[in-house]
Amino acid sequence: MKKKILAVLLTAGMAASLFAGCGDSSSEGSSTSSGTSEASSEAGDSSSETAEATGDEEYNIAVILKTISSEYWGYVQAGAEAYEADHPNVHVDVLGGSSETAYDEQNNIIETVVNSGEYDAMAVAALQEASIPTLVGDSDIPVIAIDQDISYEDKVCFIGTGNEEAAAQGAQAAIDLAKERGWEDIEVVVIQGVQGDPTMEARTAGFKRGTEEAGATYLADEIQYADSVADKAVTAMEGIMQQHPEGIAVICCGNDDMAIAAARAAQGNEAFANTVFCGFDGIQSACEAIIAGDLTMSVAQSPYNEGYTAVETCVAVINGESVDEVIDTGSDVITEENAQEHLDELKGYLGE
C-alpha cells in the first residue's frame, strides 16, 4: 500500500484552517494514536467473523468525524485508534472540524482526503450528506457512513446507532418514569440540535413515536432547536418554562449537553421539580449528572465500538470481504441504577 504523506498533503495553512478552535478535551485534528486506551474493545472481541489485516501490507484509513471537540466524538476517536493499536499495519487518521456546524471545514477535509490518493478507505460522519457525491467524485475510495446514514449510492454500509429506535426507547422509559412520579397529563417537549441534521431529525422522529406509543402527548409545534449547544438549550428551557408555568412531564433532548443545561435551568422552579429530563449519548458528564441528581436519564450510544468497528469494517472492505449494509452498534437507557457502571466503562475507554 501507499505510504502516507499527510504532512505534505495538509500544508500549514490548510491545517490551521481545518483545525482551529478545537476544545481542550480534543486531540489534534490528525491523529495516528501513539497512545490509546488500554481498555479492551467489545467491538474487537465480538468480531471474529470479520477478517483482520494480515501480513506486512499497510492499510491507510481516514476517519472523518463531525467534530473533534466534544466528549462523544472523543470516544469514537478512541475506538478507531484502539483498532490501530491492535493492528500495527493499519494506520488511522482521525480528522474533524471545530464544531458540528463547521460544514466548510469538514467538506475541505473530505475533499483533501479523497484527492490525496493516499487512503485505502474512509469512514465519514457527514455534516452535509448531500455534499458527499460531489466531494468523492469519481474516486474509487470505499466510503463507510458512521453515526448517521448517507444517501450516497456508492456507500458501502452504515455503522452506528439506530437513532429513531433508540430515541423511541428513551421516550418510553421517560414516560414510564413520569407516571411513577405522579404525572397524569403527560406531555413531551423536545429540545433538539441542528435543524435539518439527519441524526437529530431521526431522534426527533423516535421521540415522537415513543411518546405516541406510550399513550402520551407529543407537542410537535413546540420543538426547540438549540444547535446541540448548552447555552442555547438554556434559552430554550427558559421559553418552555414561560410557556408552561404549570410544568411539563417530560423534556427529551437531542444530546446530553442540552439535557444537562435544560435540567439545570429548571432547578428551583417547583413546577418542574418532577419533570423527567432525558438526554441522548450517555457521555461521562451525563452519568455524573444522573448520579448527582441533576439529570434524570440518557439514551447511551456505543461510540467507542462505533469507531473500532468503522476501522475494522474498512479493513474488511479493502480485503474484498462482504459486510452488512447496516451495522447497529446498539444503545441503552442510563438511569440512576446503572449510571456508575456506565461511567466506569467510559473512563476505561479513555484510559482514565
Side-chain angles (χ1 to χ4, degrees), residues 63-205:
V63 177
I64 304 172
L65 307 181
K66 289 186 176 181
T67 181
I68 52 172
S69 61
S70 77
E71 182 186 328
Y72 175 82
W73 294 107
Y75 296 125
V76 181
Q77 178 170 349
E81 292 177 342
Y83 188 92
E84 180 185 47
D86 290 343
H87 304 81
N89 58 321
V90 177
H91 307 292
V92 178
D93 284 324
V94 179
L95 308 163
S98 56
S99 74
E100 293 194 25
T101 55
Y103 307 112
D104 290 342
E105 287 184 45
Q106 191 191 65
N107 287 344
N108 287 339
I109 293 170
I110 295 170
E111 190 171 31
T112 300
V113 165
V114 171
N115 291 338
S116 74
E118 296 303 316
Y119 292 91
D120 304 300
M122 69 176 181
V124 182
L127 288 174
Q128 292 180 312
E129 66 157 328
S131 301
I132 298 298
T134 300
L135 295 170
V136 176
D138 296 329
S139 171
D140 59 359
I141 183 172
V143 176
I144 290 173
I146 59 173
D147 191 70
Q148 73 173 48
D149 207 352
I150 57 177
S151 56
Y152 176 50
E153 64 180 9
D154 292 327
K155 168 200 69 184
V156 176
C157 67
F158 164 65
I159 298 170
T161 304
N163 282 286
E164 181 174 338
E165 185 63 34
Q169 179 186 16
Q172 290 173 345
I175 290 165
D176 287 344
L177 182 55
K179 292 176 181 177
E180 292 179 15
R181 290 184 171 186
W183 289 92
E184 295 180 359
D185 183 15
I186 299 180
E187 296 178 320
V188 177
V189 172
V190 171
I191 300 177
Q192 198 49 278
V194 178
Q195 188 170 10
D197 177 88
T199 296
M200 293 300 173
E201 295 303 326
R203 292 175 188 176
T204 298

Side-chain angles (χ1 to χ4, degrees), residues 315-329:
V315 171
V317 171
I318 295 167
N319 285 334
E321 298 178 41
S322 61
V323 299
D324 292 338
E325 292 184 3
V326 176
I327 301 173
D328 191 337
T329 50

